[in-house]
Amino acid sequence: MCGITGYIGYREACPILTEGLRRLEYRGYDSAGIALIADNGGLNIYKEKGRVSDLENSMAGKDTSGHIGIAHTRWATHGEPSAVNAHPHVSSSGRFAIVHNGIIENYAVIRKNLEQKGYVFRSSTDTEVLVQLADYVASLQDSDTVTVLQKVLSEVVGAYAIALLDREHPDRLYAARKSSPLAVGIGDGEFFVASDISPIAGYTDKVVYLDDEEIAEMHCGDSLHVVNLANVECRHEIITVPENLGKAGKDGFDHFMLKEIFEQPSCLTDCMRGRVDVAGKTVTLSAVREHKDRLLAAERFIIVACGTSWHAGLIGKQMIESFCRIPAEVAYASEFRYSNPVVGSSDVVIAISQSGETADTLAAIELARSKGAFIYGICNAVGSSIPRATDTGSYIHVGPEIGVASTKAFTGQVTVLAMLALDIAKEKNTIDDRTYAEMIEELATIPEKMRVVLRTNDRIASLAKMFTYAKNFIYLGRGYSYPVALEGALKLKEISYIHAEGYPAAEMKHGPIALIDEEMPVVIIATHNALYEKILSNVQEIKARKGRVIAIVSEGDSTVSAIADTVIEIPETVECLDPLLVSVPLQLLAYHIAVCKGKDVDRPRNLAKSVTVE
Ligand code: G6P
């Protein structure tokens, strides 16, 4: 989703800003722009619909001088993707330029008021009201820029992370946030602003995360100055971030997504490092140790998440209920936040998020907290908003995920949920020693078994060629495999734009079976587990209607192989860890079908990696 980067310092700003925009590309966007205060004092704005490379082409040969600037990748909310609607937006007088993430909910009222005062708006965005209002406020009395911003931001309702240039103060960069993340990088005589750490990485490892309703003023030679809307000075601890945080390359793979699929065995090893001790036969999460009383006292777990993370939550629910014998529910964060849920102090809410920035998940956390629940975060992005908003939690430690379609984050989340369920179950004595030991041994073998699964890549690549014709797909699974079917269907939809539905296999006969004919590919998860015989009947039902069955089976299976059109074999594991292995061929299938169809796998249309608006 939208990305912000800004710079002030001794270096040329433009190369740093365009590099920052490239690093933000993974979030998903439809247009990009840059504003620079040139060496001659002029304000130069460049905006283009499309990619950052289109923006760079449009700037070729133009004046890109200047040591201060702001830049943005936009993901359209108000107004179509276009150069006019792209940020930065400039006020009517030409004094202020702004980039903004988030949504100004009362923009229509503000816009109408300003139009009545003669302001002419150029774009259809909500953002433009911020900069026009700044112009109006500044015209009323001679205030400094921070005071102008305090007045503007006190009037707006909604979410914002902004970076602002003021031509009357070309030696100062301004930034502010509310409900949308913003980091300030502090270098030696220079400052960086960014909506996530990636544009800052490599320039400085010193970072301050602004809190809600705070405004930062950056002036080279001075230390960072932060005040809130009430003009109270805010002091911040400077955080040192790991040097490689936010930097990622494709390492020879054609796409980030493929690289991330192949990274999964080593990512899961990292995820389990120091937590799963095979020799000592223990699983330990530090958050469980530190908050044991609170977690063991939980009468219910409520998992809130969106998208792929929600699918991981469905698997986590089954693990928690089966090992810990505590009721667990899973809610879409976007529904939970508006549902007047029954939540109280005996509940533990688990918020799952790869990015740690999903607006709906953050709002669900705030609601649960206001009702007294204890909040446990499961996130990937270190230092992001959700880990900072939760009482405790566990990082999944799978490294930056750049492909918009989530892969390694999903398996990392499932792994952390397994460890969480096991650790709590052991403490509560709801798991027997044999099962606990078996689970630990199995968890430790998953990375190696995943490597075996990854060997199916070439076969899946050939298989994918046969399915580029398909307009629809059905994915079926039962028990632990049902959320994996949902996730497999989501992967295909996201990157190949083929309509795909995930369904609990037995539910198929209550509707979707009507769709089955010789054209319909059906991916069915039929590994050896408690419901194997039942799934076998479901395969028969599809074949009886001439559906084309692609079955994921356990190594050596001959029964399903005899009926299905194609089988992909994977090693056996315990039922609850099966999702970790089954999801890999489904990721590869979606990837190769999308590649065959010539789609932009890492940056699918309309999608955003980090969904910072509701
Ligand atoms: C977006 C992404 C998905 C992700 C979902 C939730 O839709 O494209 O891949 O699953 O947001 O994001 P989160 O960062 O909270 O896991």
Side-chain angles (χ1 to χ4, degrees):
M1 211 153 251
C2 304
I4 287 177
T5 182
Y7 176 76
I8 182 167
Y10 57 89
R11 311 186 215 206
E12 282 289 314
C14 190
I16 293 174
L17 295 174
T18 45
E19 170 61 19
L21 291 182
R22 266 193 298 273
R23 294 187 195 177
L24 290 167
E25 283 191 301
Y26 79 96
R27 293 165 71 99
Y29 70 106
D30 47 53
S31 50
I34 283 189
L36 298 153
I37 299 184
D39 291 340
N40 63 10
L43 179 64
N44 289 319
I45 310 279
Y46 303 105
K47 309 202 276 190
E48 277 302 316
K49 181 179 168 187
R51 299 290 176 205
V52 172
S53 52
D54 299 317
L55 174 69
E56 286 177 291
N57 291 339
S58 77
M59 292 194 296
K62 309 227 170 94
D63 179 5
T64 57
S65 68
H67 298 80
I68 173 170
I70 54 177
H72 192 258
T73 49
R74 174 174 187 254
W75 188 86
T77 56
H78 295 63
E80 58 168 10
S82 67
V84 172
N85 287 334
H87 304 204
H89 291 285
V90 181
S91 61
S92 292
S93 71
R95 176 173 166 182
F96 298 109
I98 200 167
V99 291
H100 165 227
N101 285 1
I103 289 180
I104 304 303
E105 290 170 13
N106 59 342
Y107 83 101
V109 180
I110 300 176
R111 180 171 172 146
K112 201 167 159 215
N113 285 342
L114 289 168
E115 279 172 340
Q116 280 165 359
K117 292 180 170 60
Y119 280 82
V120 177
F121 282 74
R122 300 184 191 99
S123 76
S124 325
T125 65
D126 53 327
T127 300
E128 197 180 344
V129 301
L130 292 172
V131 83
Q132 300 288 29
L133 187 58
D135 231 19
Y136 174 66
V137 170
S139 71
L140 295 181
Q141 65 190 93
D142 187 20
S143 311
D144 63 89
T145 319
V146 169
T147 308
V148 170
L149 275 176
Q150 283 164 335
K151 289 192 175 142
V152 168
L153 298 176
S154 301
E155 282 209 28
V156 301
V157 176
Y160 57 79
I162 58 166
L164 179 108
L165 298 179
D166 180 351
R167 263 180 86 182
E168 292 197 0
H169 298 285
D171 56 347
R172 277 159 211 270
L173 176 62
Y174 303 89
R177 74 152 262 175
K178 183 183 179 192
S179 306
S180 198
L182 203 65
V184 177
I186 303 171
D188 201 1
E190 58 186 349
F191 291 97
F192 304 81
V193 169
S195 45
D196 71 42
I197 198 79
S198 49
I200 298 173
Y203 295 111
T204 176
D205 60 357
K206 306 274 179 290
V207 169
V208 160
Y209 290 99
L210 295 186
D211 285 328
D212 276 353
E213 302 197 330
E214 288 185 350
I215 300 171
E217 184 178 22
M218 291 152 272
H219 176 232
C220 298
D222 285 350
S223 52
L224 178 69
H225 181 226
V226 182
V227 292
N228 65 15
L229 297 192
N231 207 31
V232 176
E233 195 162 338
C234 310
R235 301 216 169 268
H236 276 277
E237 186 195 347
I238 297 177
I239 296 168
T240 304
V241 294
E243 213 171 90
N244 63 354
L245 201 68
K247 278 202 235 163
K250 285 189 211 153
D251 296 350
F253 286 93
D254 288 342
H255 297 96
F256 279 109
M257 182 178 175
L258 190 62
K259 176 195 158 208
E260 288 158 5
I261 292 172
F262 270 82
E263 270 175 355
Q264 289 176 105
S266 59
C267 289
L268 294 198
T269 303
D270 290 342
C271 175
M272 289 187 272
R273 184 168 293 120
R275 293 165 165 177
V276 174
D277 175 1
V278 184
K281 291 196 173 22
T282 54
V283 177
T284 322
L285 291 178
S286 50
V288 177
R289 286 288 151 276
E290 283 160 27
H291 300 275
K292 195 164 134 186
D293 294 347
R294 193 67 185 75
L295 292 168
L296 297 194
E299 285 173 18
R300 183 175 55 154
F301 283 90
I302 303 170
I303 301 173
V304 292
C306 302
T308 290
S309 300
W310 183 79
H311 294 156
L314 293 177
I315 297 167
K317 165 196 160 72
Q318 295 186 49
M319 291 170 169
I320 290 169
E321 292 197 330
S322 109
F323 294 133
C324 311
R325 306 310 297 157
I326 307 173
E329 294 170 13
V330 189
Y332 284 116
S334 53
E335 290 294 315
F336 180 86
R337 65 182 290 191
Y338 293 117
S339 64
N340 190 16
V342 181
V343 183
S345 54
S346 57
D347 294 316
V348 169
V349 167
I350 302 178
I352 310 176
S353 173
Q354 187 287 126
S355 62
E357 300 296 354
T358 304
D360 282 321
T361 310
L362 267 166
I365 290 171
E366 291 317 325
L367 176 67
R369 180 196 309 292
S370 72
K371 290 173 178 282
F374 184 76
I375 322 283
Y376 195 110
I378 296 180
C379 291
N380 190 31
V382 176
S384 54
S385 301
I386 291 177
R388 287 184 286 122
T390 46
D391 294 305
T392 189
S394 305
Y395 282 114
I396 61 173
H397 292 311
V398 298
E401 188 179 68
I402 306 297
V404 166
S406 186
T407 53
K408 62 178 182 172
F410 173 71
T411 47
Q413 290 162 346
V414 172
T415 306
V416 166
L417 286 160
M419 294 189 286
L420 180 63
L422 288 172
D423 199 0
I424 294 176
K426 183 70 182 160
E427 293 292 340
K428 279 184 86 77
N429 251 326
T430 49
I431 189 168
D432 62 79
D433 290 346
R434 198 180 55 78
T435 311
Y436 182 70
E438 186 193 10
M439 283 297 304
I440 290 168
E441 272 166 33
E442 274 304 312
L443 266 174
T445 66
I446 290 292
E448 210 36 59
K449 288 180 178 170
M450 256 187 178
R451 287 193 178 93
V452 174
V453 182
L454 285 165
R455 289 191 211 129
T456 59
N457 181 45
D458 290 347
R459 250 201 81 223
I460 294 176
S462 328
L463 183 66
K465 292 187 191 127
M466 290 160 36
F467 289 102
T468 47
Y469 76 88
K471 298 246 176 316
N472 300 286
F473 257 77
I474 292 181
Y475 285 70
L476 300 175
R478 302 182 74 144
Y480 280 104
S481 297
Y482 161 52
V484 187
L486 294 179
E487 175 59 10
L490 180 66
K491 287 292 85 95
L492 188 70
K493 269 186 276 217
E494 284 180 316
I495 57 173
S496 73
Y497 318 144
I498 294 174
H499 169 247
E501 272 196 60
Y503 240 80
E507 264 304 294
M508 187 190 61
K509 54 179 123 16
H510 300 291
I513 201 161
L515 301 170
I516 303 223
D517 60 15
E518 60 280 1
E519 299 265 290
M520 177 66 87
V522 182
V523 178
I524 186 151
I525 302 163
T527 47
H528 285 155
N529 61 43
L531 295 171
Y532 178 72
E533 298 295 333
K534 310 272 178 202
I535 250 305
L536 206 56
S537 311
N538 301 136
V539 177
Q540 299 279 17
E541 287 158 12
I542 299 159
K543 280 317 297 174
R545 284 151 189 91
K546 300 196 169 54
R548 298 180 65 181
V549 173
I550 306 156
I552 314 295
V553 299
S554 302
E555 257 166 9
D557 183 300
S558 55
T559 319
V560 176
S561 315
I563 351 170
D565 296 82
T566 311
V567 293
I568 297 162
E569 291 193 7
I570 62 165
E572 277 198 51
T573 182
V574 291
E575 193 164 348
C576 68
L577 299 183
D578 222 25
L580 294 171
L581 301 182
V582 178
S583 49
V584 175
L586 303 192
Q587 294 164 351
L588 288 170
L589 184 66
Y591 170 80
H592 286 295
I593 291 178
V595 169
C596 287
K597 288 175 74 84
K599 303 300 179 202
D600 189 348
V601 174
D602 283 336
R603 288 174 298 189
R605 70 180 180 204
N606 302 342
L607 296 183
K609 183 79 189 155
S610 198
V611 182
T612 48
V613 294
E614 66 169 291

